[in-house]
Amino acid sequence: MADGTPPHHPAAEAPAPLLAVRDLHAWYGESHVLHGMDFEVRAGEVVTLLGRNGAGKTTTMKSIIGVLPQRRGSIMFEGRETIGLPSRRIARLGIGYCPEERGIFASLSVRENLMLPPVVKPGGLPVEDILALFPNLKERAASQGTKLSGGEQQMLAIGRILRTGANLLLLDEPTEGLAPVIIGEIGRTIAALKRRGFTIILVEQNFRFAATVADRHYVVEQGRIVDRIANADLEANIDKLHAYLGV
Amino acid sequence: EVAVKLGVLNDRSGVYADLSGEGSVIAAQMAVEDFKAAEKGIKVEIISADHQNKPDIGAGIARQWYDQDGVDAILDVPTSSVALAVSQVTKEKNKVFIDSGAGATDLTGKQCSPNTIHWTYDTYALAKGTGGAMVKRGGDTWFFITADYAFGKSLEDNTTAIVTAAGGKVLGSVKTPFPASDFSSFLLQAQSSGAKVIGLANAGGDTINAIKQASEFGITQAGQSLAGLLIFISDVHALGLQAAQGLVLTEAFYWDLNDGTREWSKRFAARSGGKMPTMVHAGVYSGVLHYLKAIDALKSKDPAQVIAKMKEMPTDDPLMGKGQVRADGRVIHDMYLFEVKKPAESKGEWDYYKLLATIPAAEAFKPMADGGCPLVK
Amino acid sequence: MAAPAIPSPATDRRQGAGDRAAFAALLVLIVAAPFVLYPIFLMKVLCFGLFACAFNLLLGYGGLLSFGHAAFFGMASYVSAYAAKTWGLTPELAILAGTLTATVLGLVVGSLAIRRQGIYFAMITLALAQMVYFFCLQAPFTGGEDGIQAVPRGRLFGLIDLSDDRVLYALVAAIVLAGLIAIHRIVHSPFGQVMKAIRDNEPRALSLGYHPERFKLILFTLSATLAGLAGATKALVFQLASLTDVQWTMSGEVVLMALVGGVGTVLGPMAGAVVVVAMETYLAPLGSWVTVTQGVVFVVCVLAFRQGLAGMAGKIWRRLGRAG
Amino acid sequence: MEADTILRTDGLTKDFRGFRAVDGVGLTVRRGTVHALIGPNGAGKTTCFNLLTKFLPPSDGSITYKGRDITGMKPADVARLGLVRSFQISAVFGQMSVMENIRIALQRRRGHSYDFWRPQRLLEALDGEALALAESVGLAGFAATPAAQLSYGRKRALELATTLALDPEMLLLDEPMAGMGREDVERTTELIRSIARNRTILMVEHNLSVVATLSHRITVLARGKVLAEGDYATVSADPRVVEAYIGGGGHG
Amino acid sequence: MLTLFGIPLQALLGQLLLGLINGSFYATLSLGLAVIFGLLNIINFTHGAQYMMGAFAAWMLLAYAGIGFWPALILAPLAVGLVGMAIERLFIARLYQLDHLYGLLLTFGLALIIQGLFRNQYGISGLPYAIPPALTGAWNLGFMFLPVYRGFVVAASLVLCLSTWLIIEKTRLGATLRAATENPKLVEAFGINVPRLMTLTYGFGVALAAFAGVLAAPIYSVNPNMGGDTIIVVFAVVVIGGMGSILGSILTGFGLGVVEGLTKVFYPEAASTIIFVIMVLVLLLRPAGLFGRTA
Ligand SMILES: Nc1ncnc2c1ncn2[C@@H]1O[C@H](COP(=O)(O)OP(=O)(O)OP(=O)(O)O)[C@@H](O)[C@H]1O
Ligand SMILES: Nc1ncnc2c1ncn2[C@@H]1O[C@H](COP(=O)(O)OP(=O)(O)OP(=O)(O)O)[C@@H](O)[C@H]1O
Ligand SMILES: CC(C)C[C@H](N)C(=O)O
Ligand SMILES: [Mg+2]
Ligand SMILES: [Mg+2]
């Protein structure tokens, strides 16, 4: 995408939220994990989900993209109800998912992994930009995907959804296992993506990092949103947050 | 009033299912009906099972039939290894075993049993028929393609003996894994041996594949002849005349031999979906008929008596003609040498054979003295 | 490579109680059955049951799918038949000879096969078993496709005449029970614990200082030995040793038995053997429909009853436990 | 070799099809210290661990442990010498209970491992010790829980307890804190500190605050080579380390 | 005349060529198997039955509709491929995330059913199918007499193998398929219709088997058991080549055909066992087969 052009997603200007989650419940088999999540994300925003281990952050992400079929409630994306759709249809609407466990394919080379997700909308990053962002990947392009180091795999997982043109990115703990220098890099990347009009939902343990990139934070506890804090108010609420996160 | 139970034990799912299988059950039923057993006060029940060409399965079923189900006689049992095992069990349980489908001469030779009768053919008779005839027609150098198991080897050995006795020579042989689907390499070896006759000492699918490929490689056009040492009409049907034409083969029965065979075969075909009977089917019919005759004569089904009676009475029926059950259990009757017709010569769907010669009963089978059966020493 | 979907042995105590109950039920059945059913059929079931349980010791508890177990079963059956017929050994010695042959063969095949995993392991065992098959086909002492026929049952310890089916049945039942108890013990032994750990997470076991190959080799050899015990006994029951027992289809059949019965349970495969053998015996009159029926059973098992009979029984047992 | 050096490598090198992941690394770990191995992603840290524990054969170089050359040994034998590792992805026996997990390790030391003819009851003799170990990592209440059902942090704790059961002289920990929440991070830091009292620890970790609090000495790897070495203050002040690893906005 | 190990060189050349021809059947069959295994992780034991169905489809087209060899070469694989797709939808699709064992058992069961049904319908001896008129006759190569049809078989299977290999290894389709086997949920979450992809792939693998069946019809006995005997060997080929390696199974298919051909000359009894000997050696020396990737 050339610089200077206006954000290409028409929803960006619309007042309606890009994603609206209402009373979302989700189950793993018989265990009820999400108990009525309610939150929304406007176009162009970076929003984080914070919470302790097991609070239900990952489950929320999986529910949005639809890989967890047992869910109820409402998830509206660009004004469309997606709760009944299979995940491939949801992805085609323009949602990119970077899973917690990275999901690098062992039987594919790094390049093949990178090229795997199909382009769903115009406006994705060109491959060169992605490789420039993560030089390690370029160097190891012909390696088997899972032969990469832990951190390199994380870069690959993020990199591959930037290509697809999805305008909502779901990043589940993208900084886990990354060296500080790369975390800084990722932070700058997220900022750049935001400038390009991408909308991002970020799950993070590392709220100091989150604070550097996010507009807003939702606090998740036992499958519910228990608080929302604007980034600007973060300092003021730091004690409350520490209590939530058990620090 | 005698009640007998017959068990038709044969291959119902494997390579020999067409030449024996359900057809043998039909043949046994026809024998019971034709004999009018019920009117003569003999109540006959027929059961059947699949031995899958495995001796342990065959022996197991035989044992259970005799022990549990009250079977008096077992019929058919193609595949020599199973037949030998069933013969063993039959002797132990003192019942009656009338084999039609198997080829082993040992059944009435070294491993003969007072309770076993071998009806239709054996490897010696096949060798004698086809081997002898080929040499007589000038095919005096041979190369064998032999299935690498006892039946194939015995067919090769028997034929070798006949061929050399008739002044012919065996130039070589190759043992093929069993079963095999590609014979081109073996055919090529046979071809380069320069032998006039290529003897196929195998059966079923192996033979079909070998013949099909021989025609493809132009072996016969180049002047060598093929001798299928054991070919059933079902095999010829599967090959089609185009590939099978010119083959010389030995059978104990052909549907189109005479009025008697034609009449019976038509009835058989009507009950088996249009398929003409093989000699194995005919042998089952013939054997059951003779068995019932013996029971009728004795008004008893005591195995020892029945077998003695069967050996005493000459055999005589429309399918196999006149013959005799020898003391070693071997049934002797005429055998026939056929040649497979060219497609142009055939007048109908099952019109496959030309009769070349009739081998009289007395010459067709191995003399009892040479068999090594301990019963007749 | 593939998700671990072979049901794994349950850990809890309830399993132990379930096992004891199943063993007790089995004992009652074994004693009562010959009064109702044909003893030879029962002996066949018992021999195949032991074979299937031995196979399952390897698959269910070692996570190793052998596709060549027929080699041990069949080879032992040849040796025991040969020993009884040609050397005139007494039945117990013939069985011992067969079983030990399987042990040695197991050691050899195992030491080659355990170096590979998953499907490659299965394929090596298959290939080695095919070589054993070829050997049996070619070696003169096996009698080619006729097999070794008319094997004498002989006198146990030179004293007890086994020609009566009921006497033989008692012997076979004793042997098979002993085999099953041995399997139970192996599974629930210190060795079994380590094996379970290796199956669960091999690299971790390695990092704790265990040599997984040694454990696998021992397990393999034990499994081969017990499979051999089953084969050797079978040869005497049927007085016949034949190629059927060394063929790859037999290796496939034992997988089927284990699957139908329930992989990863001590006695499940026994139940699987009952079903498979009964099907073969009682469907035989169906002729060519036998294979179709067998095929349907396979398909239904895989699609609907992956836990096997034992899995279903376990479910019912647990439900009863909850209710009661 | 100095008396208090427990592990040393010289010129340790690993090539993967033309790609050199570890390049002539010389590492000296002193007995009784916590030694951290840090460096950017793909620097070769995990590969180093794999080389040290023999999960990979080195292409070149030698490894000396307690004065013994272990370069050509097998993984299980290295473990038997008391050099035991943990994994970057948590490694427990998921289908076994916490107690059984620990017992497996105890069993290795106590023998009976090959006894297939004896009852499992024999192992109950180890229960007391196993329980004590579970307690020491705060898992006393979970003794009967199957390991697969534990939360991430507790799995890590179990892995440590299992490792401790071997009574190793030296532990190699690969990113013990990865993916942990704050709570767990703090608990685990304490745990490692207590373990370290009478053992040697070599650890890989990206969480610099953990590295700073725990380690006596730090080696920085980059592109397979040793970039810097020293205590936290020295290393974190090294401009090359800042450039390659910590970056401008380092999060401590 | 020049001889090698007591065999005239000329004869040896002929045998090599025959081995190559047989190898082309192995290659085509194992290619289908490798596609299905490599991409779907299913060990397709029904492959032999599907090969048989290909041959029967050709026969049926001729017997019931008067359609000859050339159209059958396209139509039969298509028809059998459709049957394969139905099988995949109904049964196999439920097994992707399970252990290999289950796929193997299910397809084994299906093979039993299919073979049994054909046996009941058509008997066991087989049915005649003639070589197409355009391909009858033979070339005299000097050292042997090569039937034109066999030459055609080699050419046809070479073309097929190479194009399949190109499609799978050199396009994104192949990568997508491999990824879909590993983690279908995630691939689906990228917006790809994984179930349809799987169905098509299975159908394609099956169609390859059926194609080999049509090629075989004029030279081998067309009977319900024709695949059952070959399947184990074809498996061995795939394993030796490296499970899932497309190129590996093609090359190994041809190579083993040659090795088997030579065995038929020097030790014919062992011709069907040699492949297993090679398999053991290969797996012991190269754990993942000749061309396989180590996991
Ligand atoms: N596959 C599963 N089956 C059953 N329960 C699950 C499964 N995955 C997660 N859970 C449970 O659901 C709850 C929410 O898990 P989730 O993964 O969403 O947490 P999270 O907030 O992402 O935690 P973390 O920070 O550890 O990643 C937890 O209690 C967890 O134990
Ligand atoms: N088996 C292998 N084959 C090929 N390359 C490999 C293999 N294992 C690791 N590599 C490469 O070696 C380099 C070092 O990997 P290693 O896993 O040691 O990194 P690391 O320092 O642990 O990184 P991280 O902090 O991200 O875990 C990486 O570039 C990786 O891609
Ligand atoms: C063709 C068959 C029915 C003969 C069989 N092969 C035998 O061993 O006798
Ligand atoms: Mg999470
Ligand atoms: Mg690492």
Side-chain angles (χ1 to χ4, degrees):
Chain A
M1 197 174 74
D3 267 357
T5 50
H8 63 285
H9 303 300
E13 278 91 6
L18 181 73
L19 181 82
V21 174
R22 298 280 172 252
D23 193 29
L24 177 65
H25 291 255
W27 291 261
Y28 290 103
E30 286 177 8
S31 82
H32 191 169
V33 174
L34 297 188
H35 303 266
M37 295 281 287
D38 260 303
F39 68 97
E40 54 191 53
V41 182
R42 286 189 295 274
E45 263 190 320
V46 174
V47 168
T48 66
L49 300 179
L50 301 174
R52 298 185 187 200
N53 285 125
K57 308 177 294 289
T58 298
T59 309
T60 307
M61 299 288 238
K62 287 187 182 171
S63 302
I64 295 172
I65 190 67
V67 291
L68 186 72
Q70 280 174 280
R71 59 206 204 281
R72 207 182 297 144
S74 158
I75 303 172
M76 304 284 280
F77 178 66
E78 290 183 338
R80 267 188 75 167
E81 182 56 73
T82 65
I83 200 99
L85 298 180
S87 62
R88 61 172 180 275
R89 300 273 304 281
I90 299 175
R92 291 269 170 192
L93 296 176
I95 303 182
Y97 174 52
C98 171
E100 181 174 37
E101 71 287 352
R102 298 167 190 153
I104 300 305
F105 296 96
S107 51
L108 272 57
S109 70
V110 170
R111 170 163 297 110
E112 285 171 327
N113 265 289
L114 192 60
M115 302 306 287
L116 179 74
V119 171
V120 295
K121 278 187 178 177
L125 257 58
V127 180
E128 305 81 72
D129 289 14
I130 297 170
L131 291 179
L133 208 53
F134 305 116
N136 287 37
L137 299 184
K138 191 169 189 174
E139 211 172 308
R140 316 282 301 129
S143 288
Q144 185 185 332
T146 44
K147 291 271 164 79
L148 290 183
S149 81
E152 289 166 336
Q153 292 187 28
Q154 187 67 65
M155 301 173 193
L156 182 54
I158 300 173
R160 71 180 166 194
I161 54 167
L162 299 182
R163 241 191 69 248
T164 65
N167 49 328
L168 174 63
L169 305 182
L170 309 177
L171 308 180
D172 197 347
E173 303 205 26
T175 60
E176 192 210 308
L178 292 185
V181 62
I182 303 287
I183 297 182
E185 201 55 52
I186 300 251
R188 278 186 285 284
T189 308
I190 290 177
L193 292 171
K194 179 177 157 65
R195 275 198 305 280
R196 292 189 180 210
F198 284 92
T199 311
I200 293 169
I201 302 180
L202 196 65
V203 166
E204 263 304 333
Q205 297 282 357
N206 184 342
F207 76 83
R208 299 208 196 176
F209 167 74
T212 62
V213 293
D215 296 316
R216 261 168 336 112
H217 310 276
Y218 285 106
V219 181
V220 186
E221 210 161 75
Q222 304 204 330
R224 283 187 196 85
I225 299 287
V226 293
D227 209 344
R228 61 180 275 182
I229 306 171
N231 201 44
D233 306 336
L234 198 60
E235 283 308 312
N237 288 294
I238 199 83
D239 291 338
K240 198 163 76 172
L241 198 58
H242 277 199
Y244 282 133
L245 301 182
V247 179
Chain B
E1 182 76 359
V2 193
V4 292
K5 197 163 183 179
L6 305 177
V8 178
L9 180 59
N10 60 20
D11 179 7
R12 302 174 67 87
S13 53
V15 281
Y16 305 134
D18 281 351
L19 63 92
S20 58
E22 181 63 17
S24 295
V25 180
I26 294 173
Q29 276 160 354
M30 288 174 72
V32 174
E33 289 159 20
D34 290 358
F35 187 66
K36 304 206 168 48
E39 289 170 27
K40 298 194 171 89
I42 307 174
K43 202 168 136 279
V44 186
E45 188 190 342
I46 297 174
I47 59 174
S48 64
D50 185 0
H51 65 43
Q52 298 173 34
N53 300 320
K54 291 173 180 164
D56 54 337
I57 301 210
I61 294 173
R63 210 179 279 276
Q64 179 161 0
W65 272 358
Y66 290 144
D67 282 350
Q68 288 270 292
D69 304 329
V71 166
D72 297 295
I74 290 181
L75 306 168
D76 200 2
V77 195
T79 314
S80 306
S81 52
V82 189
L84 290 169
V86 170
S87 176
Q88 219 41 270
V89 175
T90 309
K91 185 157 116 189
E92 184 190 318
K93 305 282 174 193
N94 188 26
K95 302 280 177 175
V96 178
F97 172 36
I98 306 172
D99 187 283
S100 175
T105 44
D106 270 0
L107 270 178
T108 56
K110 276 200 277 309
Q111 301 197 44
C112 70
S113 140
N115 302 68
T116 300
I117 293 177
H118 195 186
W119 209 274
T120 312
Y121 73 102
D122 59 28
T123 51
Y124 180 93
L126 299 169
K128 178 92 186 182
T130 313
M134 293 305 279
V135 179
K136 230 178 268 166
R137 303 166 110 211
D140 53 0
T141 51
W142 283 62
F143 186 94
F144 288 101
I145 293 181
T146 305
D148 185 27
Y149 67 120
F151 164 78
K153 285 180 209 156
S154 112
L155 205 46
E156 179 188 333
D157 291 346
N158 283 320
T159 314
T160 303
I162 305 269
V163 166
T164 40
K169 227 177 110 187
V170 175
L171 300 182
S173 81
V174 58
K175 301 228 171 359
T176 69
F178 169 77
S181 59
D182 188 76
F183 285 83
S184 50
S185 161
F186 307 127
L187 287 166
L188 209 65
Q189 293 176 43
Q191 193 172 36
S192 55
S193 78
K196 291 184 189 154
V197 181
I198 300 173
L200 302 176
N202 48 23
D206 279 6
T207 314
I208 294 178
N209 274 320
I211 296 173
K212 215 171 170 177
Q213 289 157 24
S215 118
E216 186 198 352
F217 278 82
I219 303 259
T220 32
Q221 289 92 310
Q224 285 174 303
S225 11
L226 279 187
L229 293 169
L230 178 51
I231 296 186
F232 297 91
I233 195 162
S234 49
D235 300 331
V236 174
H237 187 67
L239 273 164
L241 289 183
Q242 185 60 40
Q245 56 183 312
L247 275 173
V248 173
L249 50 90
T250 304
E251 290 238 43
F253 166 88
Y254 175 48
W255 70 272
D256 202 12
L257 268 179
N258 55 48
D259 290 342
T261 56
R262 273 187 290 273
E263 185 272 333
W264 184 80
S265 302
K266 295 253 157 67
R267 283 195 286 131
F268 178 94
R271 293 169 74 155
S272 68
K275 287 186 202 142
M276 282 296 175
T278 63
M279 65 167 160
V280 173
H281 300 145
V284 170
Y285 176 89
S286 183
V288 172
L289 212 56
H290 197 62
Y291 175 71
L292 292 177
K293 279 183 198 163
I295 289 182
D296 187 38
L298 290 167
K299 300 286 174 227
S300 149
K301 61 173 184 179
D302 175 75
Q305 289 181 28
V306 170
I307 289 185
K309 192 78 200 166
M310 285 174 83
K311 288 180 177 171
E312 176 198 313
M313 295 191 300
T315 64
D316 186 8
D317 61 69
L319 305 191
M320 301 254 171
K322 292 191 196 328
Q324 178 208 337
V325 185
R326 283 193 325 211
D328 59 359
R330 178 68 253 169
V331 177
I332 57 169
H333 47 72
D334 292 351
M335 295 289 285
Y336 307 94
L337 191 68
F338 296 107
E339 185 181 312
V340 178
K341 291 183 172 175
K342 297 197 174 52
E345 294 168 332
S346 170
K347 289 193 281 293
E349 212 204 337
W350 287 85
D351 182 19
Y352 292 148
Y353 294 169
K354 278 192 298 221
L355 182 65
L356 292 183
T358 301
I359 308 156
E363 288 169 29
F365 293 91
K366 195 177 205 171
M368 192 150 64
D370 303 348
C373 168
L375 287 177
V376 295
K377 258 181 201 152
Chain C
M1 205 192 274
I6 298 174
S8 46
T11 21
D12 51 349
R13 293 270 136 75
R14 234 179 301 126
Q15 179 71 23
D19 272 358
R20 235 164 291 136
F23 260 107
L26 181 71
L27 193 64
V28 173
L29 278 179
I30 285 181
V31 173
F35 295 101
V36 193
L37 289 164
Y38 181 47
I40 301 223
F41 165 75
L42 289 174
M43 288 189 267
K44 184 171 181 185
V45 166
L46 285 174
C47 291
F48 276 106
L50 178 58
F51 181 29
C53 289
F55 163 81
N56 181 52
L57 176 63
L58 193 60
L59 174 62
Y61 296 91
L64 298 169
L65 170 62
S66 158
F67 217 82
H69 249 48
F72 312 119
F73 184 75
M75 200 61 196
S77 119
Y78 271 124
V79 169
S80 125
Y82 191 80
K85 186 171 176 180
T86 312
W87 296 336
L89 291 191
T90 49
E92 73 286 353
L93 290 179
I95 291 178
L96 191 67
T99 310
L100 288 180
T101 311
T103 309
V104 174
L105 196 60
L107 205 58
V108 174
V109 172
S111 56
L112 292 174
I114 49 126
R115 302 192 206 167
R116 298 289 170 254
Q117 290 173 353
I119 199 73
Y120 294 105
F121 173 85
M123 283 295 156
I124 289 211
T125 50
L126 168 68
L128 291 168
Q130 284 297 108
M131 291 184 206
V132 171
Y133 174 78
F134 183 68
F135 169 78
C136 291
L137 187 69
Q138 299 291 335
F141 88 95
T142 58
E145 86 274 10
D146 290 350
I148 302 179
Q149 303 197 348
V151 176
R153 284 180 180 173
R155 291 169 168 274
L156 187 62
F157 306 118
L159 298 171
I160 308 161
D161 186 3
L162 294 179
S163 54
D164 182 347
D165 285 350
R166 304 225 164 182
V167 180
L168 185 64
Y169 178 81
L171 174 67
V172 172
I175 291 176
V176 170
L177 267 178
L180 293 182
I181 290 169
I183 291 174
H184 186 264
R185 170 44 52 84
I186 294 168
V187 168
H188 299 282
S189 69
F191 170 84
Q193 277 286 308
V194 179
M195 211 49 238
K196 204 159 116 186
I198 291 175
R199 213 202 113 165
D200 211 343
N201 190 340
E202 187 166 332
R204 180 56 176 159
L206 192 63
S207 77
L208 291 180
Y210 286 109
H211 291 282
E213 330 82 64
R214 290 188 200 161
F215 285 85
K216 287 184 189 171
L217 182 58
I218 292 176
L219 190 72
F220 193 96
T221 310
L222 288 170
S223 169
T225 305
L226 289 162
L229 178 62
T233 311
K234 189 204 161 209
L236 288 192
V237 174
F238 285 93
Q239 305 179 268
L240 179 75
S242 75
L243 286 175
T244 319
D245 298 339
V246 269
Q247 233 159 11
W248 68 269
T249 41
M250 180 61 76
S251 299
E253 208 154 287
V254 79
V255 180
L256 174 66
M257 291 177 194
L259 179 85
V260 170
V263 173
T265 56
V266 172
L267 290 180
M270 191 81 207
V274 174
V275 173
V276 172
V277 173
M279 214 158 65
E280 265 163 22
T281 311
Y282 296 109
L283 292 185
L286 278 184
S288 52
W289 287 100
V290 175
T291 51
V292 177
T293 319
Q294 277 178 335
V296 171
V297 171
F298 264 86
V299 170
V300 170
C301 274
V302 171
L303 291 179
F305 306 110
R306 265 190 294 273
Q307 313 287 302
L309 293 172
M312 286 202 297
K315 242 183 233 162
I316 294 170
W317 172 263
R318 253 166 277 142
R319 203 158 293 160
L320 286 181
R322 220 181 286 155
Chain D
M1 187 189 282
E2 292 168 61
D4 61 349
T5 297
I6 183 162
L7 179 81
R8 205 177 84 194
T9 70
D10 291 291
L12 198 58
T13 299
K14 179 70 195 175
D15 290 314
F16 294 111
R17 289 200 202 173
F19 176 81
R20 184 156 287 191
V22 175
D23 190 357
V25 167
L27 196 66
T28 306
V29 182
R30 286 162 48 164
R31 192 184 292 276
T33 58
V34 175
H35 192 125
L37 193 59
I38 64 173
N41 299 110
K45 305 178 293 292
T46 300
T47 308
C48 260
F49 268 33
N50 283 332
L51 294 173
L52 293 175
T53 50
K54 314 313 302 164
F55 277 63
L56 286 174
S59 311
D60 200 8
S62 68
I63 306 167
T64 317
Y65 172 70
K66 290 203 287 180
R68 232 168 117 167
D69 185 0
I70 61 164
T71 318
M73 280 192 180
K74 290 225 183 81
D77 296 321
V78 172
R80 281 160 182 264
L81 287 178
L83 178 62
V84 179
R85 70 175 298 180
S86 74
F87 289 83
Q88 188 163 352
I89 322 132
S90 190
V92 292
F93 303 115
Q95 292 171 7
M96 304 173 90
S97 69
V98 165
M99 186 76 130
E100 285 176 315
N101 263 275
I102 301 174
R103 257 185 5 197
I104 285 289
L106 288 173
Q107 205 182 330
R108 217 273 280 132
R109 247 180 342 124
R110 297 298 156 77
H112 298 307
S113 295
Y114 290 104
D115 297 3
F116 57 80
W117 59 91
R118 287 183 201 231
Q120 200 173 316
R121 274 193 306 280
L122 208 66
L123 297 177
E124 282 166 16
L126 304 175
D127 283 1
E129 204 174 335
L131 203 58
L133 279 161
E135 219 150 27
S136 76
V137 296
L139 287 177
F142 297 87
T145 313
Q149 287 173 24
L150 295 176
S151 78
Y152 195 88
R154 297 207 164 95
K155 275 187 193 146
R156 272 313 352 180
L158 173 58
E159 199 185 330
L160 275 174
T162 313
T163 309
L164 291 178
L166 295 177
D167 195 17
E169 288 186 62
M170 177 164 182
L171 275 95
L172 308 185
L173 308 178
D174 196 353
E175 298 200 33
M177 314 295 178
M180 279 189 194
R182 296 260 146 177
E183 255 177 319
D184 287 332
V185 168
E186 256 148 55
R187 197 177 47 226
T188 312
T189 310
E190 268 326 296
L191 184 61
I192 292 174
R193 200 198 303 277
S194 70
I195 294 165
R197 261 173 234 134
N198 43 8
R199 292 188 173 79
T200 314
I201 291 181
L202 177 65
M203 114 184 142
V204 171
E205 183 52 62
H206 283 303
N207 189 328
L208 286 183
S209 63
V210 171
V211 172
T213 32
L214 281 177
S215 43
H216 303 107
R217 199 171 171 80
I218 296 169
T219 301
V220 185
L221 281 188
R223 305 191 145 263
K225 291 199 174 95
V226 176
L227 183 70
E229 201 168 278
D231 60 14
Y232 185 74
T234 327
V235 164
S236 60
D238 188 322
R240 288 171 309 163
V241 176
V242 172
E243 194 211 314
Y245 183 61
I246 303 179
H251 310 275
Chain E
M1 197 168 24
L2 210 52
T3 63
L4 201 62
F5 309 113
I7 311 269
L9 195 62
Q10 304 247 302
L12 213 56
L13 264 174
Q15 296 292 355
L16 279 175
L17 190 58
L18 286 176
L20 203 65
I21 296 169
N22 271 329
S24 52
F25 279 103
Y26 291 154
T28 318
L29 278 172
S30 57
L31 174 66
L33 210 57
V35 166
I36 293 174
F37 179 80
L39 303 177
L40 306 185
N41 252 345
I42 290 288
I43 298 177
N44 187 33
F45 237 98
T46 325
H47 214 67
Q50 283 149 346
Y51 162 72
M52 177 271 286
M53 283 165 81
F56 266 90
W59 178 85
M60 287 182 213
L61 284 170
L62 186 66
Y64 303 143
I67 297 174
F69 179 80
W70 298 106
L73 212 46
I74 310 283
L75 291 179
L78 217 58
V80 180
L82 283 175
V83 175
M85 280 154 70
I87 287 176
E88 195 272 353
R89 270 307 61 197
L90 285 173
F91 306 113
I92 297 175
R94 296 156 199 253
L95 302 177
Y96 286 126
Q97 287 315 296
L98 302 182
D99 194 276
H100 292 318
L101 176 63
Y102 292 107
L104 189 150
L105 288 170
L106 179 100
T107 50
F108 183 56
L110 288 174
L112 288 181
I113 296 174
I114 295 174
Q115 280 169 357
L117 291 177
F118 271 81
R119 205 152 41 216
N120 285 333
Q121 189 60 37
Y122 295 101
I124 195 70
S125 308
L127 302 161
Y129 192 88
I131 294 178
L135 297 176
T136 50
W139 294 304
N140 191 345
L141 300 184
F143 57 88
M144 75 175 288
F145 199 64
L146 177 68
V148 175
Y149 185 78
R150 298 249 170 176
F152 166 76
V153 166
V154 177
S157 66
L158 266 179
V159 168
L160 193 71
C161 288
L162 288 180
S163 32
T164 306
W165 175 66
L166 284 175
I167 290 173
I168 290 176
E169 294 292 323
K170 301 292 166 202
T171 67
R172 274 185 49 196
L173 178 69
T176 309
L177 278 165
R178 272 176 278 144
T181 339
E182 239 186 278
N183 189 346
K185 269 194 172 170
L186 185 57
V187 174
E188 182 109 17
F190 290 147
I192 294 170
N193 190 340
V194 174
R196 192 174 61 201
L197 202 61
M198 297 288 203
T199 308
L200 288 173
T201 307
Y202 188 78
F204 178 65
V206 170
L208 283 174
F211 183 84
V214 182
L215 282 185
I219 49 178
Y220 296 148
S221 159
V222 179
N223 72 59
N225 283 2
M226 65 190 284
D229 304 338
T230 330
I231 185 74
I232 279 282
V233 174
V234 174
F235 261 120
V237 172
V238 175
V239 172
I240 295 171
M243 304 282 300
S245 159
I246 307 290
L247 191 61
S249 56
I250 297 172
L251 295 178
T252 312
F254 282 103
L256 283 185
V258 170
V259 171
E260 197 193 45
L262 292 179
T263 317
K264 282 177 177 167
V265 179
F266 294 108
Y267 188 11
E269 292 93 322
S272 54
T273 309
I274 185 74
I275 294 197
F276 295 100
V277 177
I278 294 180
M279 180 151 103
V280 170
L281 292 179
V282 166
L283 287 189
L284 289 178
L285 299 175
R286 288 195 54 104
L290 291 175
F291 300 87
R293 297 173 238 246
T294 21

